[in-house]
């Protein structure tokens, strides 16, 4: 499990977005930031935990609840996380729950899109079905009716390229697994290259196929006139120079971008679980009681572990 979701770069494919202050802050990074790198303001307001993995829209679910309702729902979720019923939540239990929440999100997202695109209901989604449902009208008019014709053409080409890469047998007809790879390429090893390529295309403004420091920062941060540079931006510049640009040529190439956004040895669900325990474990036993979790409810109701209350609005037979 390499990430939850998805950069909004294609008509039907979006990656996780969390922002400070621009709308694409860090949305390309398919792993959590080390605790020491987290912005102090995010730590105080739990903004990182609320948005880093599921995005702003999902975080809004709990925003509509009173603190009492949030705590009540969170308490019920804790009972389900505690698989061995010893009244303690371990990092392993928390990690397993987060991963299950991620998988449910992907399954539900694929199901929703499957119904929309499998127009002939043959249990597969062809490129023609997807293309016609997404771009049909505009293709007929050669995108003449849209304001940004070139942007739509670019989206179409990128969708087609990604669909063909996800389509392992090359028949331009996607099975459910292939369609899942199309919608969530970051979850499949054989799709890594396209994720990196699309990332470079989005950030690389001078068209040299690489990402320099200015492009890297500009993708995350748009300064307001007269405002001082935030500390987290200075930290990001150091990260770029010290760790991202491994060959020290001033730019990130394809392989360096891949190590940045899709680190092979990083389990972000485990990292988030450890972070939640680190912030809530009052007696420092590396486990959490229900009370410790409820005492820090504001962090938990906004993180992956709760799936933002969605688990409590459905039957729990599958949990």
């Amino acid at each position: 499990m390499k990430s939850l979701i998805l950069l909004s770069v294609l008509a039907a494919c979006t990656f996780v977005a969390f922002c400070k202050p621009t709308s694409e802050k860090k949305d390309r990074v398919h792993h959590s930031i080390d605790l020491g790198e987290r912005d102090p303001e995010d730590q105080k307001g739990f903004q990182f935990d609320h948005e880093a993995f599921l995005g702003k829209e999902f975080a809004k679910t709990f925003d509509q609840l009173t603190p009492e309702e949030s705590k009540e729902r969170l308490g019920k979720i804790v009972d389900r996380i505690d698989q061995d019923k010893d009244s303690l939540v371990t990092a392993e239990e928390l990690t397993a729950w987060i991963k299950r929440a991620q998988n449910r999100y992907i399954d539900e997202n694929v199901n929703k899109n499957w119904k929309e695109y499998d127009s002939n209901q043959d249990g597969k989604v062809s490129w023609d079905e997807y293309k016609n449902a997404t771009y049909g009208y505009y293709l007929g008019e050669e995108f003449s009716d849209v304001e940004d014709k070139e942007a739509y053409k670019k989206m179409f080409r990128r969708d087609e390229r990604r669909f063909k890469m996800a389509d392992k047998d090359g028949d331009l007809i996607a099975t459910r697994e292939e369609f899942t790879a199309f919608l969530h390429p970051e979850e499949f090893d054989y799709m890594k290259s396209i994720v990196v390529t699309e990332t470079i295309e989005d950030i690389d403004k001078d068209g040299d196929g690489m990402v320099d420091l200015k492009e890297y920062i500009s993708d995350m941060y748009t300064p307001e006139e007269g405002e001082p540079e935030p500390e987290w931006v200075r930290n990001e510049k150091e990260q770029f120079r010290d760790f991202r640009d491994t060959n020290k040529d001033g730019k990130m190439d394809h392989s360096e971008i891949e190590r940045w956004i899709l680190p092979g040895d990083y389990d972000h669900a485990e990292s988030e679980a450890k972070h939640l325990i680190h912030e809530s474990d009052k007696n420092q036993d590396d486990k959490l009681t229900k009370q410790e979790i409820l005492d820090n409810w504001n962090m938990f109701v906004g993180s992956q572990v709760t799936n933002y209350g969605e688990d409590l609005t459905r039957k729990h037979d599958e949990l």
Side-chain angles (χ1 to χ4, degrees):
M1 184 66 58
K2 301 173 186 64
S3 89
L4 279 182
I5 28 249
L6 325 154
L7 284 166
S8 51
V9 293
L10 300 177
C13 308
T14 54
F15 290 81
V16 145
F18 51 106
C19 57
K20 181 184 171 39
T22 57
S23 62
E24 292 186 349
K25 160 87 166 114
K26 294 290 188 185
D27 58 0
R28 307 179 196 285
V29 185
H30 298 280
H31 62 83
S32 173
I33 302 173
D34 291 337
L35 296 182
E37 296 180 50
R38 298 190 180 200
D39 179 52
E41 293 183 9
D42 284 348
Q43 292 185 43
K44 292 177 182 178
F46 307 124
Q47 191 78 359
F48 184 94
D49 293 286
H50 291 180
E51 299 178 3
F53 293 109
L54 291 180
K56 285 186 176 181
E57 293 305 313
F58 290 103
K60 292 178 181 178
T61 301
F62 260 80
D63 291 342
Q64 300 171 6
L65 301 177
T66 66
E68 291 72 22
E69 290 172 328
S70 295
K71 292 177 183 179
E72 180 182 359
R73 295 189 178 197
L74 180 57
K76 293 178 180 179
I77 291 176
V78 173
D79 292 338
R80 293 181 171 83
I81 297 174
D82 179 20
Q83 291 295 305
D84 59 10
K85 306 305 177 187
D86 66 349
S87 299
L88 293 171
V89 171
T90 65
E92 290 77 14
E93 288 172 326
L94 202 50
T95 300
W97 181 268
I98 291 171
K99 288 184 176 181
R100 289 176 64 190
Q102 294 172 9
N103 289 331
R104 282 200 304 275
Y105 173 84
I106 291 173
D107 286 343
E108 290 169 2
N109 179 256
V110 172
N111 286 337
K112 178 181 178 181
N113 283 282
W114 191 269
K115 294 176 182 177
E116 180 178 352
Y117 292 114
D118 183 16
S119 57
N120 64 3
Q121 298 184 348
D122 66 347
K124 298 178 181 180
V125 174
S126 69
W127 168 244
D128 283 340
E129 285 177 316
Y130 177 83
K131 175 182 66 176
N132 291 334
T134 306
Y135 301 102
Y137 172 77
Y138 300 115
L139 281 174
E141 300 293 330
E142 295 186 351
F143 296 102
S144 61
D145 287 350
V146 296
E147 183 174 339
D148 192 344
K149 183 188 301 186
E150 292 306 313
Y152 270 76
K153 287 183 177 179
K154 179 181 178 181
M155 290 166 64
F156 174 80
R157 290 193 296 267
R158 289 174 66 159
D159 267 354
E160 183 177 28
R161 181 180 61 189
R162 189 194 284 196
F163 193 98
K164 288 180 177 179
M165 179 167 282
D167 176 29
K168 286 184 174 181
D169 57 13
D171 63 357
L172 292 181
I173 299 175
T175 62
R176 182 180 175 85
E177 180 181 356
E178 290 170 337
F179 193 61
T180 303
F182 170 66
L183 294 178
H184 298 273
E186 75 287 348
E187 299 296 330
F188 294 81
D189 286 340
Y190 80 98
M191 297 291 289
K192 276 186 177 181
S193 177
I194 200 68
V195 174
V196 176
T197 296
E198 291 176 0
T199 300
I200 293 174
E201 289 174 347
D202 287 337
I203 305 177
D204 174 27
K205 302 305 181 185
D206 61 14
D208 66 351
M210 294 187 284
V211 174
D212 61 27
L213 177 59
K214 182 179 179 181
E215 291 166 336
Y216 174 79
I217 295 298
S218 296
D219 186 61
M220 303 176 184
Y221 173 67
T222 303
E224 296 290 337
E225 185 176 354
E227 74 171 357
E229 183 177 79
E231 180 66 27
W232 72 265
V233 174
R234 291 192 287 273
N235 290 339
E236 282 296 338
K237 288 181 178 180
E238 293 178 5
Q239 287 292 312
F240 182 94
R241 297 187 183 103
D242 296 342
F243 302 107
R244 313 279 188 240
D245 177 22
T246 56
N247 63 6
K248 308 304 177 186
D249 66 351
K251 298 182 178 182
M252 286 194 291
D253 58 23
H254 194 282
S255 62
E256 289 168 329
I257 291 286
E258 180 174 331
R259 283 193 293 271
W260 169 43
I261 65 172
L262 296 170
D265 59 350
Y266 194 96
D267 187 330
H268 70 274
E270 180 181 5
S271 176
E272 176 68 2
K274 289 180 178 178
H275 170 60
L276 291 170
I277 291 176
H278 172 80
E279 295 295 333
S280 308
D281 182 20
K282 292 182 178 179
N283 62 4
Q284 302 297 304
D285 64 351
D286 293 325
K287 300 177 182 179
L288 296 180
T289 63
K290 177 186 283 190
Q291 191 58 51
E292 285 176 324
I293 292 174
L294 292 178
D295 286 344
N296 204 12
W297 66 273
N298 195 40
M299 172 176 282
F300 279 88
V301 295
S303 75
Q304 290 181 48
V305 67
T306 67
N307 208 21
Y308 299 106
E310 291 182 4
D311 288 323
L312 298 174
T313 61
R314 70 184 75 183
K315 294 180 179 179
H316 292 280
D317 295 339
E318 76 278 11
L319 298 180

